[in-house]
Amino acid sequence: MPVYIIEHLEPEIWEWCLMEYENISKIAGRANLWFTNINSQDRNAKKLEKFGKVIHESVATLGLKNACILDPEVPKTLEPEEAKSFDYFIFGGILGDYPPRKRTSPELTSKLKNAQARNIGKKQFSTDNAVLVTKRIIEGTPLKDMHFVENLTIPINEIESIDLPYCYPLVDGKPQISGKLINYLKKKKSF
Ligand SMILES: C[S@@+](CC[C@H](N)C(=O)[O-])C[C@H]1O[C@@H](n2cnc3c(N)ncnc32)[C@H](O)[C@@H]1O
């Protein structure tokens, strides 16, 4: 079983990050999940302990061998055969943005010289969905056999809605998004 590592790269552990990280714990399992680069002074740092192992240092200091970084900007796509051979999969704990600011390469990939880096397509996934897609590849489903929807519209009330301009994997025909996140968006009054 590989370890999934989320290198937190936002200035704080925002509510939105927490909801994604909780979802990643459900997808990967608490025992297989590490959060790195966590500031112990952050008001939400303790909450992460429920979801996985919490490490204050950056993943770049851990000297991991046989690791694969997930980075949308690299040329090679992760394939099932090679995916089985990695011991660690490393993701940027970066919230989605549009247009993408392409932070993963400079803030993560460039810091881990001994790791391989692969994409899971050119579209931008949230970190929790990037973990889900990677897990499915490790389990043997190539990216080309998965189905996705781009741009999700979440109705907030009878008149307003929010567009999420990201790529969502379909499982049993349903786009994957945390139920907690949908409720959070519905309650939030302004953006
Ligand atoms: C919301 S994405 C961050 C994208 C962001 N626009 C950036 O600046 O790189 C969060 C993380 O999910 C993973 N990810 C998302 N889409 C990916 C893709 N198409 N290929 C590889 N990794 C991806 C990466 O590890 C990335 O750091």
Side-chain angles (χ1 to χ4, degrees):
M1 188 74 81
V3 175
Y4 296 83
I5 302 177
I6 313 301
E7 171 89 342
H8 181 72
L9 289 167
E10 294 293 342
E12 283 185 38
I13 307 172
W14 313 114
E15 283 300 305
W16 193 313
C17 300
L18 269 184
M19 288 181 279
E20 286 199 13
Y21 294 171
E22 179 171 6
N23 206 28
I24 293 170
S25 188
K26 285 186 190 145
I27 294 164
R30 186 186 179 280
N32 311 312
L33 178 60
W34 298 357
F35 299 101
T36 53
N37 206 34
I38 300 299
N39 177 357
S40 50
Q41 303 302 313
D42 190 292
R43 67 197 160 96
N44 284 326
K46 271 257 162 236
K47 293 187 187 161
L48 292 183
E49 288 170 8
K50 272 199 303 222
F51 309 144
K53 181 170 169 177
V54 176
I55 298 172
H56 302 304
E57 292 77 26
S58 162
V59 67
T61 68
L62 301 181
L64 300 178
K65 295 201 174 67
N66 214 18
C68 176
I69 302 166
L70 279 299
D71 181 343
E73 298 305 316
V74 301
K76 275 182 106 176
T77 301
L78 183 69
E79 298 294 344
E81 266 319 303
E82 64 160 359
K84 289 187 183 70
S85 66
F86 289 115
D87 294 322
Y88 302 94
F89 288 92
I90 306 170
F91 302 79
I94 301 172
L95 289 178
D97 44 16
Y98 196 83
R101 282 161 63 201
K102 305 183 179 176
R103 292 172 52 197
T104 309
S105 291
E107 296 185 35
L108 186 60
T109 312
S110 69
K111 308 229 157 104
L112 285 113
K113 299 284 182 222
N114 293 327
Q116 302 285 316
R118 298 287 183 269
N119 70 57
I120 45 172
K122 299 224 175 306
K123 308 282 186 219
Q124 184 179 189
F125 294 98
S126 55
T127 311
D128 52 351
N129 274 330
V131 171
L132 176 65
V133 170
T134 300
K135 183 164 181 275
R136 294 188 72 197
I137 295 174
I138 299 165
E139 288 166 352
T141 307
L143 196 66
K144 66 174 176 45
D145 291 349
M146 294 184 211
H147 300 286
F148 304 99
V149 66
E150 276 172 58
N151 300 312
L152 209 55
T153 301
I154 310 288
I156 298 301
N157 53 41
E158 275 155 30
I159 14 184
E160 293 167 296
S161 61
I162 297 171
D163 284 331
L164 298 172
Y166 310 115
C167 190
Y168 292 86
L170 295 172
V171 174
D172 299 328
K174 278 182 62 185
Q176 296 302 292
I177 181 166
S178 137
K180 268 200 181 175
L181 180 56
I182 292 182
N183 288 338
Y184 171 82
L185 294 173
K186 287 188 171 175
K187 277 190 201 130
K188 215 163 159 21
K189 294 273 188 289
S190 61
F191 291 90

